[in-house]
Amino acid sequence: MPTVAFDLPPEIFAAVRRSPEEFAREMRLAAAMRWYARGEISQERAADLAGISRAEFLQALAREKIDVFVVNAQDLQREIERG
């Protein structure tokens, strides 16, 4: 599995009152929620990225008041055509 690493100043962890592990976990979840909300990845891929189950991902979306169902115009048109 590929690894992504970057340097952060130690003060950032104190500022957000998170350990480096908590910070990384929250960053993964935040990225997953953003990309899901923008329609760039599916719920399944977003949950994988966040390192949590799909049910936990849906709960996280609800906590942050992010729409659980993301539908773009093309998807909507396909559904309308299906009847």
Side-chain angles (χ1 to χ4, degrees):
M1 176 181 296
T3 300
V4 176
F6 51 93
D7 297 320
L8 295 170
E11 301 82 34
I12 198 74
F13 304 112
V16 296
R17 296 185 180 103
R18 305 282 189 283
S19 69
E21 294 79 17
E22 291 170 317
F23 186 85
R25 212 172 19 254
E26 287 187 25
M27 282 187 62
R28 288 176 61 174
L29 178 57
M33 288 192 293
R34 175 170 171 80
W35 292 331
Y36 172 73
R38 293 173 52 127
E40 296 180 31
I41 59 176
S42 68
Q43 284 180 4
E44 182 179 1
R45 289 294 140 238
D48 288 344
L49 172 60
I52 58 178
S53 71
R54 192 168 173 191
E56 290 169 315
F57 181 69
L58 293 174
Q59 290 170 349
L61 290 172
R63 275 194 309 273
E64 296 298 319
K65 296 180 178 37
I66 297 172
D67 288 335
V68 173
F69 300 104
V70 176
V71 180
N72 64 34
Q74 291 173 335
D75 292 339
L76 184 57
Q77 185 62 39
R78 269 194 302 267
E79 290 299 317
I80 291 170
E81 289 170 1
R82 282 187 201 171

